[in-house]
Amino acid sequence: MEAGRRMAGNNVRAIIGALAAIVLGAAAPATSQVVVWNARAVEHLYNRAGFGARPSEIDEGVAMGQAALVERLVTKRVDVEPFFYERIELPEPREMRTLPPEELAEKARQIRERDRRQLLEYTGWWLDRMASGEDPLLERMVLFWHGFFTSSVEDVKRSWPLIQQNHLVREKALGSYRQLLFAMAKDPAMLTYLDNQVNRKGNPNENLAREMMELFSLGVGNYTEKDVKEAARALTGRGVSREGNYESHPRQHDGGVKTILGATGKFDGDDLVEIILDQDACPRWVARKLLAYFEGVEPSPQRSADYAAFLKRNDYQIQPFLRRLFLDPAFYRDEVVGARVQGPVDYMVGISRRLGIRVPAVVLGGGAALLGQRLFFPPNVKGWDEGEAWITTASLMQRGNLAGFVLGLVKVEDVMSASDLEDAPPAPVEPPMQSGTPEDTGATDDGHPMSGGSEKPAAGEERPAERRKSGAGKFKGGGKGGGIALQALRRAEAFGWTATINFSARLSKAGARTDAEIADRMLDDLLAIQAPADTRARIREFLARERAGLKVEDGRLLDAGGEAERLLRRLAHLILSLPEAQLE
């Protein structure tokens, strides 16, 4: 770790400045309308349409050609055994009344624990799906929609509706946005999260109506407060049954005449969705969100308008949209390639894929949580902010430490500051974990399913999206959430998980022997972007200096046994701690 800190410099703010310069000082857009299909282009496609690629996948992608690889990513789905989940609830009230208080409390605790573990198991399964790379574009789109149509366990309380919602998104992720919007307007987790179960005739609750317009379809400025109030009336009577399914309550529905976005009639929730989809602002909003997410830069008005028109012509189908985008030469322009800051999930899963190892979901999820992104715990209804919002002084240091933890060079105590460690309880003694077990996600007990209630916004109360429904997911590595996420890493360390890597063998097989060859090969394999010339020079200098300290000649390092392997791990740690390692 000391080598990494020397390389990055003692002033972390200087690192942030360097990162900002890389992002903001990118070259002007390329003028060529022909994609140069090489390793750089293939890696860029895998970075954005998935979670990074291994060297063999990049070589295969170059050989396949752009059209064939894009078509495979867009259309080829993998038949995966679905995750088994069940509705876990407290006993019927009649049975509960017959139990002594102590027994009732214990039964409730056991059921809460079962439900909590179910969501953790599912999150671990999902992280494993991302890291496997078997269906990268599907998993990328599930993550996109997870941050677009947000719902939090802190408010929903139960694992079952959240897993059900994720399965719904998984089913429609590459299909029709139209169908997805219709489905979300009846989704039990969404109805619960946005309080629509208390939206009834004569006392409308505007939460779902507001977020449908502001965040899910139109954007601010394309509707009025009157539209929100009338839309809330259209959504009255939509609720959730005791069994956790969507349920319509006709007596609670306001069947009167409403005027929404210029249309007048006795509208219900389905009519509202149709009216929204018919607005010109809707395809513009969705197209802009998709372009900004996949390209990492705000699209120009003309680019947004062009892709919005395409989306509308194709009846909001996502698959044709992404096929066109990934074949578009502008998607590979210099302004876009290698200029997006990786989110925490991207960073942790990307490390796993680029190292070519199976990292337990406890490490992936716990690491992402420490960096500020816990799945099923969005910070607010707006979801997670992308781009430079992910980078702080603390998170940059944590990213490097987490890379060192994955490589077996950094202890848990070094991952966070002493003040953060005080919030983390000691790891309990439990059986060793396998990837995908409940502890694999770094989720916390605060806001766990079936926990105590949370404050609800008053009906009709308007607040900025970043403050509405704000919850525990907002932390950036500290507090209770950070402590328990850290506890998940402690479990992995306590039971002896180590990364199984043989850099010496890999480099030897690749024909890299000299300092320059080794440095270049590891930079190419471990970074999601092309390393600048000065970075390559500095990495070569570091390797040469450290190799000389072992009294080994240039070209003979791979024959030096354990000392060489430990040096190569330190080199990998250094590379994964660079500002360039935060970009894709």
Side-chain angles (χ1 to χ4, degrees):
M1 186 58 196
E2 284 305 312
R5 287 175 178 167
R6 287 198 304 269
M7 189 73 176
N10 294 324
N11 189 342
V12 180
R13 295 190 182 278
I15 302 177
I16 297 174
L19 179 59
I22 294 170
V23 176
L24 300 176
T31 57
S32 172
Q33 293 301 303
V34 178
V35 177
V36 177
W37 193 246
N38 53 21
R40 183 171 183 252
V42 173
E43 187 161 31
H44 170 65
L45 178 59
Y46 269 113
N47 289 341
R48 305 302 174 84
F51 298 88
R54 295 164 182 164
S56 60
E57 293 171 323
I58 295 174
D59 293 342
E60 180 189 29
V62 172
M64 286 181 67
Q66 182 185 12
L69 180 57
V70 168
E71 194 63 22
R72 185 174 74 176
L73 288 169
V74 170
T75 62
K76 185 181 178 182
R77 304 280 72 84
V78 176
D79 186 16
V80 177
E81 184 175 282
F83 180 90
F84 174 78
Y85 63 102
E86 57 186 329
R87 180 172 165 265
I88 302 171
E89 292 286 353
L90 292 167
E92 293 290 330
R94 180 182 301 176
E95 179 185 347
M96 292 172 65
R97 284 194 295 268
T98 65
L99 297 175
E102 298 80 6
E103 187 176 339
L104 177 61
E106 176 59 20
K107 184 177 285 290
R109 186 197 66 78
Q110 291 175 358
I111 291 174
R112 285 196 300 269
E113 178 62 15
R114 280 181 57 205
D115 200 69
R116 183 185 73 89
R117 291 176 71 89
Q118 178 166 265
L119 186 60
L120 296 178
E121 288 169 355
Y122 183 77
T123 311
W125 177 85
W126 185 14
L127 286 162
D128 280 338
R129 295 300 314 147
M130 295 182 203
S132 74
E134 293 179 338
D135 201 341
L137 183 56
L138 175 63
E139 301 306 333
R140 169 59 69 188
M141 283 305 299
V142 174
L143 184 61
F144 169 78
W145 293 123
H146 183 65
F148 187 95
F149 293 109
T150 57
S151 297
S152 172
V153 68
E154 214 182 20
D155 293 277
V156 178
K157 308 294 186 190
R158 307 291 194 270
S159 67
W160 188 83
L162 286 165
I163 297 173
Q164 181 177 250
Q165 183 189 79
N166 197 266
H167 273 274
L168 169 67
V169 169
R170 184 171 295 276
E171 176 188 340
K172 301 181 182 299
L174 286 162
S176 166
Y177 164 80
R178 169 187 289 277
Q179 293 180 11
L180 195 51
L181 189 61
F182 269 106
M184 282 298 166
K186 292 182 177 179
D187 176 68
M190 185 64 72
L191 294 175
T192 302
Y193 179 56
L194 293 177
D195 307 303
N196 209 75
Q197 72 272 25
V198 297
N199 183 18
R200 59 195 63 189
K201 180 180 179 180
N203 187 28
N205 182 292
E206 298 174 7
N207 289 354
L208 179 59
R210 184 176 304 282
E211 308 316 347
M212 279 187 65
M213 292 184 175
E214 179 181 336
L215 299 176
F216 301 165
S217 63
L218 301 177
V220 174
N222 295 299
Y223 59 89
T224 67
E225 283 301 305
K226 180 68 182 303
D227 291 325
V228 172
K229 295 181 184 301
E230 296 287 85
R233 292 176 58 208
L235 292 167
T236 51
R238 293 193 167 200
V240 181
S241 71
R242 177 174 172 78
E243 291 72 32
N245 299 312
Y246 168 72
E247 188 171 72
S248 176
H249 303 284
R251 291 184 179 181
Q252 297 176 8
H253 175 65
D254 184 340
V257 174
K258 309 161 189 79
T259 298
I260 307 172
L261 297 167
T264 301
K266 294 184 176 182
F267 300 134
D268 61 13
D270 286 345
D271 296 323
L272 170 64
V273 174
E274 285 288 3
I275 291 169
I276 286 173
L277 289 166
D278 199 43
Q279 303 300 305
D280 290 340
C282 186
R284 287 202 308 268
W285 176 257
V286 178
R288 186 179 71 80
K289 284 287 188 179
L290 286 166
L291 288 170
Y293 182 78
F294 279 98
E295 295 192 333
V297 296
E298 190 66 23
S300 67
Q302 180 56 48
R303 188 162 175 77
S304 287
D306 183 29
Y307 271 88
F310 181 83
L311 187 64
K312 187 70 178 286
R313 286 197 305 271
N314 284 274
D315 195 27
Y316 290 100
Q317 290 293 324
I318 300 300
Q319 210 172 53
F321 184 100
L322 294 179
R323 179 186 290 109
R324 181 189 179 190
L325 178 62
F326 298 152
L327 291 172
D328 186 349
F331 179 69
Y332 301 88
R333 66 192 188 274
D334 289 339
E335 180 191 14
V336 169
V337 177
R340 184 176 76 171
V341 177
Q342 296 183 56
V345 169
D346 286 356
Y347 181 73
M348 295 304 300
V349 175
I351 285 177
S352 171
R353 291 199 45 73
R354 293 183 185 95
L355 286 172
I357 59 175
R358 186 185 178 104
V359 178
V362 62
V363 177
L364 301 179
L370 290 175
L371 296 173
Q373 188 175 25
R374 288 188 294 169
L375 300 176
F376 298 104
F377 282 85
N380 48 59
V381 73
K382 187 181 177 184
W384 291 278
D385 291 328
E386 301 287 340
E388 291 177 70
W390 288 124
I391 299 300
T392 66
T393 304
S395 69
L396 266 179
M397 295 302 293
Q398 285 174 355
R399 286 182 180 220
N401 285 335
L402 285 163
F405 181 82
V406 169
L407 290 162
L409 299 176
V410 173
K411 298 294 184 182
V412 170
E413 283 68 19
D414 296 323
V415 172
M416 293 179 68
S417 69
S419 61
D420 289 317
L421 286 168
E422 292 173 359
D423 294 318
V429 177
E430 297 177 3
M433 300 165 299
Q434 300 298 322
S435 184
T437 57
E439 291 78 15
D440 282 358
T441 64
T444 73
D445 284 328
D446 56 309
H448 66 65
M450 291 187 253
S451 65
S454 61
E455 181 182 352
K456 300 286 185 180
E461 179 183 355
E462 182 183 5
R463 285 175 283 172
E466 65 271 16
R467 295 203 302 272
R468 294 197 299 269
K469 286 287 183 182
S470 61
K474 66 187 177 183
F475 80 97
K476 288 284 186 179
K480 183 178 179 183
I484 297 178
L486 185 61
Q487 180 186 350
L489 300 184
R490 279 179 166 170
R491 290 193 181 108
E493 183 179 72
F495 290 106
W497 176 80
T498 57
T500 305
I501 308 174
N502 189 335
F503 283 119
S504 299
R506 292 184 188 184
L507 292 164
S508 180
K509 184 177 180 180
R513 303 289 301 183
T514 67
D515 293 343
E517 291 168 346
I518 290 171
D520 286 349
R521 180 72 189 197
M522 291 189 69
L523 281 165
D524 291 342
D525 287 356
L526 298 181
L527 291 184
I529 69 170
Q530 198 168 39
D534 62 335
T535 298
R536 290 185 181 274
R538 290 158 58 207
I539 291 295
R540 290 173 184 174
E541 290 170 5
F542 167 81
L543 181 58
R545 183 174 65 251
E546 296 295 311
R547 186 256 314 147
L550 296 178
K551 298 184 174 14
V552 176
E553 295 179 5
D554 190 8
R556 303 297 301 273
L557 178 63
L558 302 186
D559 303 322
E563 289 295 329
E565 187 62 29
R566 283 184 283 275
L567 170 54
L568 293 172
R569 288 200 180 206
R570 297 205 318 273
L571 179 63
H573 182 201
L574 173 56
I575 291 171
L576 292 172
S577 302
L578 291 170
E580 292 90 337
Q582 318 313 316
L583 302 174
E584 62 182 13

